[in-house]
């Protein structure tokens, strides 16, 4: 195929926690049915592959890769991964996402094969493993963004256990069993016991006003005044035990395999290994599998490592990541400014603001450029533009 620069059309995913306006406004469509637009997938994952506008019509990117992997992946990427190794997304988090961890590549393969052998349909609601891949991921905030990320450091967690009256009985559990013992205890305790701890806590938090830095804010948002009498979500424990992190526009964070986390509120661009494997433990109506979650969780206190981009050439700002599957950068192009480069891997550019031109094609807000490997190209700012670039760091 002679064409080297394409327009890519992704797919919107409708999940209950999604917002109603941000993604429709970004992509320019009318959400007349008021559907919760949670994610916009830009990639070749079998769950929602993107389409490319080619000289011979609209084609699934995944099928083009299968038919000609070296042309659409490049020799190095095709040899190492045998597929597009990343999945690019936009997220609009209106309601809290699930407490979750992602498996390592080895454990993902084991889990996928076990569920296949058990005859669990790939679309079954109780399916944990949708593929054999790991899912490290990075997100960059598009505005103020809030999330839970990893367990609090030991001193901070001890303060929580000491200062929250309902948690005082858990101090000895932590002393005896550490992070793993504590989390296993609260996640596996009978629901009646969990209710006995959480109900008075939730009721008390509902009487107070909190800032977003405080767990009580998120507990109140979870129930929004509709306080239950029983069967409380034990994901509430994680709101107190995990770090509450605020990212400002342009700041990022990396989630490695095993790090428990949950998105709380805001919009971001997210880039991850080409996988949809999620092990959930609460704050969700989706399938929860506590034993599988515990099996893959890293039990240690951490401090969030907030990522800041490093200024490169041609208006590119690069985020340094401990990942071989993907890389991400932001490209700022004032009107008339040009970004000139040669692609070493399949590259995606999402236009977040403004408009640009590459070759004979123009791209506006919400549109996506796909450039095949080994292509010399120029992207020119037509109206002051911000783009996010996904690539493979070969």
């Amino acid at each position: 195929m002679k064409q080297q620069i394409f327009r890519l059309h992704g797919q919107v995913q409708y999940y209950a926690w999604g917002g109603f306006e941000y993604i429709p406004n970004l992509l320019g469509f009318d959400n007349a049915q008021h559907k919760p637009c949670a994610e916009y997938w830009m990639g070749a994952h079998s769950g929602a592959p993107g389409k490319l506008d080619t000289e011979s019509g609209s084609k699934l990117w995944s099928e083009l890769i299968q038919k000609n992997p070296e042309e659409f992946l490049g020799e190095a990427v095709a040899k190492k991964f045998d597929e597009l190794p990343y999945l690019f997304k936009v997220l609009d988090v209106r309601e809290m996402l699930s407490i979750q961890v992602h498996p390592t590549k080895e454990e993902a393969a084991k889990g996928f094969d076990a569920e296949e052998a058990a005859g669990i349909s790939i679309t079954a609601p109780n399916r944990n493993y949708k593929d054999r891949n790991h899912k490290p991921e990075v997100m960059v905030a598009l505005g103020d963004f809030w999330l839970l990320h990893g367990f609090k450091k030991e001193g901070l967690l001890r303060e929580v256990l000491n200062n929250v009256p309902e948690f005082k009985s858990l101090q000895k559990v932590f002393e005896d069993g550490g992070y793993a013992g504590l989390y296993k205890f609260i996640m596996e305790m009978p629901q009646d016991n969990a209710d006995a701890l959480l109900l008075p806590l939730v009721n008390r938090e509902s009487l107070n006003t909190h800032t977003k830095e405080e767990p009580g804010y998120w507990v109140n948002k979870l129930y929004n005044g509709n306080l239950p009498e029983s069967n409380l979500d034990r994901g509430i424990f994680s709101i107190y035990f995990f770090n509450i992190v605020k990212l400002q526009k342009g700041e990022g964070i990396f989630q490695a395999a095993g790090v428990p986390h949950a998105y709380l509120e805001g919009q971001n661009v997210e880039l991850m290994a080409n996988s949809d494997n999620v092990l959930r433990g609460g704050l969700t109506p989706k399938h929860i599998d506590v034993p599988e979650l515990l099996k893959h969780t890293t039990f240690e206190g951490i401090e969030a490592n907030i990522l800041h981009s490093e200024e490169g050439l041609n208006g590119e700002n690069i985020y340094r990541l401990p990942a071989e599957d993907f890389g991400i950068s932001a490209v700022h192009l004032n009107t008339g400014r040009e970004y000139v480069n040669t692609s070493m891997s399949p590259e995606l550019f999402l236009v977040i603001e403004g408009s640009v031109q590459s070759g004979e094609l123009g791209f506006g807000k919400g549109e996506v450029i796909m450039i095949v490997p080994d292509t010399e190209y120029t992207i020119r700012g037509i109206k002051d533009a911000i783009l996010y670039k996904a690539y493979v760091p070969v």
Side-chain angles (χ1 to χ4, degrees):
M1 185 175 292
K2 294 179 181 179
Q3 190 176 353
Q4 295 176 300
I5 300 174
F6 300 82
R7 191 183 312 274
L8 180 138
H9 302 275
Q11 292 197 43
V12 176
Q13 303 286 60
Y14 302 96
Y15 306 141
W17 50 263
F20 303 107
E21 297 178 359
Y22 185 83
I23 289 177
N25 287 343
L26 175 67
L27 302 181
F29 69 87
D30 181 18
N31 186 20
Q33 295 179 317
H34 203 58
K35 297 172 70 175
C37 303
E39 301 185 357
Y40 183 55
W41 286 28
M42 300 162 284
H45 191 278
S46 58
K51 293 182 177 180
L52 300 180
D53 288 347
T54 75
E55 295 164 343
S56 55
S58 179
K59 305 286 186 183
L60 284 174
W61 192 14
S62 54
E63 292 183 358
L64 292 171
I65 290 171
Q66 290 173 0
K67 291 176 181 178
N68 199 335
E70 288 201 5
E71 179 177 348
F72 282 92
L73 297 178
E75 183 178 353
V77 174
K79 184 176 181 180
K80 185 170 186 175
F81 297 101
D82 198 35
E83 65 173 5
L84 182 71
Y86 63 74
L87 177 57
F88 202 19
K89 298 181 180 181
V90 176
L91 272 66
D92 181 15
V93 181
R94 177 180 55 89
E95 300 290 349
M96 291 179 280
L97 272 72
S98 54
I99 303 296
Q100 59 186 259
V101 298
H102 304 305
T104 64
K105 198 163 192 171
E106 180 182 7
E107 292 300 324
K110 290 179 183 177
F112 181 89
D113 291 342
E115 290 187 334
E116 288 287 284
I120 303 174
S121 169
I122 199 73
T123 58
N126 63 326
R127 178 92 184 207
N128 286 317
Y129 297 93
K130 304 295 181 68
D131 48 68
R132 292 184 172 87
N133 206 8
H134 62 167
K135 195 187 175 188
E137 60 191 21
V138 64
M139 59 143 287
V140 178
L142 295 173
D144 287 352
F145 193 93
W146 295 85
L147 72 154
L148 301 176
H149 176 79
F151 288 98
K152 293 178 183 291
K153 295 284 247 182
E154 186 172 327
L156 294 175
L157 182 54
R158 289 183 188 279
E159 286 183 19
V160 170
L161 298 179
N162 184 59
N163 294 336
V164 178
E166 292 79 11
F167 293 166
K168 286 185 180 293
S169 63
L170 301 176
Q171 292 183 67
K172 189 174 189 310
V173 179
F174 184 54
E175 293 293 337
D176 294 343
Y179 286 95
L182 174 66
Y183 206 59
K184 178 179 173 65
F185 181 81
I186 57 102
M187 294 301 286
E188 293 185 342
M189 68 168 56
Q191 186 62 47
D192 286 349
N193 293 4
D195 288 345
L197 289 178
L198 295 177
L199 189 56
L201 172 60
V202 171
N203 284 327
R204 189 175 66 256
E205 296 288 31
S206 71
L207 301 176
N208 300 310
T209 300
H210 302 276
T211 66
K212 292 183 179 182
E213 288 83 2
E214 299 174 300
Y217 177 91
W218 303 105
V219 172
N220 289 342
K221 180 173 179 176
L222 176 65
Y223 288 112
N224 197 26
N226 299 311
L227 302 182
E229 296 181 358
S230 62
N231 200 33
L232 276 80
D233 192 322
R234 66 188 64 213
I236 294 169
F237 288 108
S238 296
I239 297 175
Y240 290 86
F241 295 172
F242 293 177
N243 296 296
I244 298 175
V245 180
K246 178 188 179 182
L247 299 178
Q248 296 180 324
K249 184 177 181 179
E251 293 181 334
I253 200 163
F254 183 80
Q255 319 267 19
V259 176
H261 60 280
Y263 291 162
L264 298 175
E265 184 179 277
Q267 294 85 33
N268 68 28
V269 287
E270 189 179 50
L271 184 61
M272 64 199 66
N274 188 36
S275 173
D276 195 27
N277 289 327
V278 181
L279 307 171
R280 300 178 181 88
L283 303 182
T284 179
K286 291 185 177 181
H287 175 58
I288 291 174
D289 190 331
V290 169
E292 201 68 15
L293 175 88
L294 296 173
K295 177 181 174 183
H296 298 284
T297 298
T298 300
F299 292 106
E300 64 181 14
I302 65 172
E303 187 173 329
N305 179 26
I306 295 177
L307 303 175
H308 298 89
S309 62
E310 301 175 9
E311 188 172 349
L313 302 175
N314 298 327
E316 183 172 15
N317 294 275
I318 302 166
Y319 295 84
R320 303 295 179 187
L321 306 176
E324 60 180 15
D325 307 66
F326 53 82
I328 191 170
S329 63
V331 178
H332 297 258
L333 294 177
N334 296 333
T335 302
R337 188 172 185 178
E338 293 184 340
Y339 175 78
V340 181
N341 204 356
T342 299
S343 56
M344 304 301 292
S345 72
E347 296 181 355
L348 290 182
F349 289 85
L350 167 65
V351 182
I352 288 291
E353 297 178 16
S355 60
V356 299
Q357 185 166 352
S358 187
E360 298 179 354
L361 299 176
F363 298 86
K365 177 181 174 181
E367 295 191 298
V368 184
I369 310 167
M370 197 289 282
I371 301 175
V372 299
D374 302 314
T375 300
E376 294 182 6
Y377 64 90
T378 298
I379 300 176
R380 184 173 185 269
I382 301 301
K383 182 180 178 182
D384 291 356
I386 299 176
L387 304 90
Y388 278 95
K389 171 187 173 183
Y391 59 95
V392 186
V394 293

